[in-house]
Amino acid sequence: MIRNLLAAIVFSIPFSSAFAQFGLYASAAYIKTSGTNSFYNNTAPGLGQDIGAISFQGVNLGVFEQNSGNLKLIGSEIKTFKGVSDNVCSGTLNYTVYVSGSRPASPIFTAINLDFYSDCFSPTCSSFFGSYNLAAGGGCCSDRDQKWQRPGFGSPANVDLTNNLPAIYTLEIYYSYTGQDGGSGCVTTKYDNNNNNPTNYTADFTITIPIPVSFGEVRIANNSAYNNISWNTYSESNTNIFQVERSADGISFYNVGQVVAAGFSASLRNYAFRDTKPISGINYYRVKMLEADGRFQYSTVVKTTNKITGKWSFSVNQGKEQIRLAGIENGDEINIFNPAGIRVFGGRSNTNTLIVSTRNITSGVYFIKITGNKGSAVQQIIVNH
């Protein structure tokens, strides 16, 4: 049988194989990566004894943000066998983590006890009780075999590997299990350790500096007179508020409102804001995340086009150094901004026509924004003294 061959090859045990009546023929670490739980096989992958569909040895588990909780050692499963007069008492997963390329001379391993899950009666197939179906892994076993699992009937280990500082790490593991050949005791300890050549089973992973927010999709629902801007985040760290910014040209953006952020989150969150006064024409939007300490981060830019009723016009008289605005209404708010978003003029109209002096405005490109009962509109002007 394959498992008997594995017993002779895999274990670094100081005893004659003629007396080795209990042993281990399959092992796998149970690991959560970005929300997905999977068995990572150690012993004999691909030889019909697999517990899961992925090999552990030499694999790169991925790149994860620090403290994101997206990489956890949940537990393990091993499958043992014994002869008629032999005994198996316990199973243990032992692990250590260190910066890749800097393995300590004598690593300190942490033990995770594996609970007894079941004796096997040929053929028996099952997986973690109450959590996973057969298709998720766990593997089958034959008459007189045993399965040891964590979580099994107990609680998961949930070792959060993202608690490490940003660096490239090695996760090293081996298995120990106890029993007795030709007896009912637990006096012998055996190991599954990749023949300890040159180390035990190893896999790598990378921890990166966390970004404050992981933006998802930004969307716009255009209702002609107003726009609904919605977005989601996959994770947040120390977020304070989200500011929704709008632009007429996709370059100069202005804050039009804000939404309180979650602060800290490791799950999908949805947000929305209604801009009730879009400008006539193209509206560009982006979301700006602000942390409590003042740091910020932008989402992608999206755009839509609004047709706002009500028209106004302007003319620039360079000789008289003035701008004439027509078609406005009493109470309309008029603002003029430079390309950096700095307001150089602001006021309200009290007639249908307004004259704005440009004597104190330097030559260059500017944007006139008019906001009133009929909405907002922005036009570009050029001042040339």
Side-chain angles (χ1 to χ4, degrees), residues 113-131:
N113 294 326
L114 307 179
D115 301 325
F116 175 75
Y117 187 72
S118 67
D119 279 317
C120 299
F121 303 93
S122 184
T124 299
C125 299
S126 62
S127 54
F128 286 171
F129 175 77
S131 297

Side-chain angles (χ1 to χ4, degrees), residues 55-232:
S55 294
F56 179 88
Q57 178 61 28
V59 75
N60 188 330
L61 297 171
V63 180
F64 308 90
E65 290 183 20
Q66 185 183 16
N67 298 321
S68 65
N70 285 332
L71 179 63
K72 291 184 177 181
L73 179 59
I74 304 296
S76 178
E77 178 183 295
I78 63 173
K79 292 191 282 191
T80 58
F81 63 89
K82 61 182 179 181
V84 174
S85 60
D86 309 312
N87 188 41
V88 180
C89 301
S90 68
T92 303
L93 166 66
N94 304 276
Y95 77 93
T96 188
V97 176
Y98 49 85
V99 174
S100 295
S102 301
R103 185 179 190 267
S106 300
I108 299 175
F109 286 85
T110 300
I112 298 176
N113 294 326
L114 307 179
D115 301 325
F116 175 75
Y117 187 72
S118 67
D119 279 317
C120 299
F121 303 93
S122 184
T124 299
C125 299
S126 62
S127 54
F128 286 171
F129 175 77
S131 297
Y132 313 99
N133 57 36
L134 177 60
C140 303
C141 55
S142 303
D143 190 20
R144 299 201 61 77
D145 295 344
Q146 306 82 40
K147 297 182 75 171
W148 307 80
Q149 291 183 348
R150 179 78 175 269
F153 293 103
S155 60
N158 278 336
V159 179
D160 190 348
L161 299 175
T162 68
N163 288 339
N164 291 285
L165 295 173
I168 300 175
Y169 290 92
T170 295
L171 170 62
E172 181 176 331
I173 64 175
Y174 72 91
Y175 300 87
S176 55
Y177 55 105
T178 64
Q180 184 175 356
D181 298 319
S184 59
C186 308
V187 297
T188 303
T189 300
K190 300 181 182 181
Y191 301 92
D192 173 20
N193 58 6
N194 195 30
N195 282 329
N196 200 29
N197 182 25
T199 60
N200 302 295
Y201 297 109
T202 59
D204 294 329
F205 62 93
T206 301
I207 302 298
T208 61
I209 297 173
I211 59 174
V213 60
S214 175
F215 276 108
E217 183 180 9
V218 181
R219 301 175 296 274
I220 297 178
N222 186 325
N223 194 36
S224 183
Y226 60 85
N227 294 322
N228 286 326
I229 299 92
S230 59
W231 65 97
N232 53 41

Side-chain angles (χ1 to χ4, degrees), residues 7 24 50 54 64 136 145 237 259 297 338 364:
L24 180 153
D50 299 21
I54 309 170
F64 308 90
D145 295 344
S237 177
V259 177
Q297 179 182 336
N338 66 18

Side-chain angles (χ1 to χ4, degrees), residues 147-362:
K147 297 182 75 171
W148 307 80
Q149 291 183 348
R150 179 78 175 269
F153 293 103
S155 60
N158 278 336
V159 179
D160 190 348
L161 299 175
T162 68
N163 288 339
N164 291 285
L165 295 173
I168 300 175
Y169 290 92
T170 295
L171 170 62
E172 181 176 331
I173 64 175
Y174 72 91
Y175 300 87
S176 55
Y177 55 105
T178 64
Q180 184 175 356
D181 298 319
S184 59
C186 308
V187 297
T188 303
T189 300
K190 300 181 182 181
Y191 301 92
D192 173 20
N193 58 6
N194 195 30
N195 282 329
N196 200 29
N197 182 25
T199 60
N200 302 295
Y201 297 109
T202 59
D204 294 329
F205 62 93
T206 301
I207 302 298
T208 61
I209 297 173
I211 59 174
V213 60
S214 175
F215 276 108
E217 183 180 9
V218 181
R219 301 175 296 274
I220 297 178
N222 186 325
N223 194 36
S224 183
Y226 60 85
N227 294 322
N228 286 326
I229 299 92
S230 59
W231 65 97
N232 53 41
T233 64
Y234 296 113
S235 64
E236 296 180 37
S237 177
N238 199 37
T239 55
N240 186 23
I241 60 173
F242 292 102
Q243 289 183 344
V244 179
E245 297 185 341
R246 186 184 64 212
S247 171
D249 59 1
I251 299 172
S252 300
F253 284 83
Y254 310 96
N255 179 23
V256 295
Q258 65 186 40
V259 177
V260 176
F264 294 89
S265 175
S267 59
L268 182 69
R269 300 187 69 89
N270 298 298
Y271 296 90
F273 173 81
R274 175 173 290 187
D275 181 11
T276 58
K277 296 181 179 180
I279 59 178
S280 182
I282 298 178
N283 288 263
Y284 297 87
Y285 292 95
R286 69 186 181 188
V287 180
K288 180 180 182 180
M289 187 286 305
L290 286 146
E291 291 188 79
D293 61 6
R295 292 191 301 171
F296 60 89
Q297 179 182 336
Y298 288 112
S299 72
T300 56
V301 176
V302 293
K303 67 178 181 178
T304 189
T305 300
N306 293 81
K307 295 182 179 180
I308 308 299
T309 59
K311 295 182 178 180
W312 58 273
S313 62
F314 70 91
S315 60
V316 181
N317 188 325
Q318 307 290 5
K320 293 185 177 181
E321 297 183 312
Q322 64 183 27
I323 302 169
R324 183 178 184 274
L325 300 170
I328 57 179
E329 296 181 355
N330 186 20
D332 282 356
E333 181 182 358
I334 295 92
N335 290 288
I336 300 178
F337 299 92
N338 66 18
I342 299 174
R343 188 173 67 173
V344 298
F345 173 85
R348 288 187 179 274
S349 66
N350 53 16
T351 64
N352 292 332
T353 302
L354 181 68
I355 303 297
V356 178
S357 173
T358 62
R359 291 178 181 177
N360 296 322
I361 300 177
T362 59

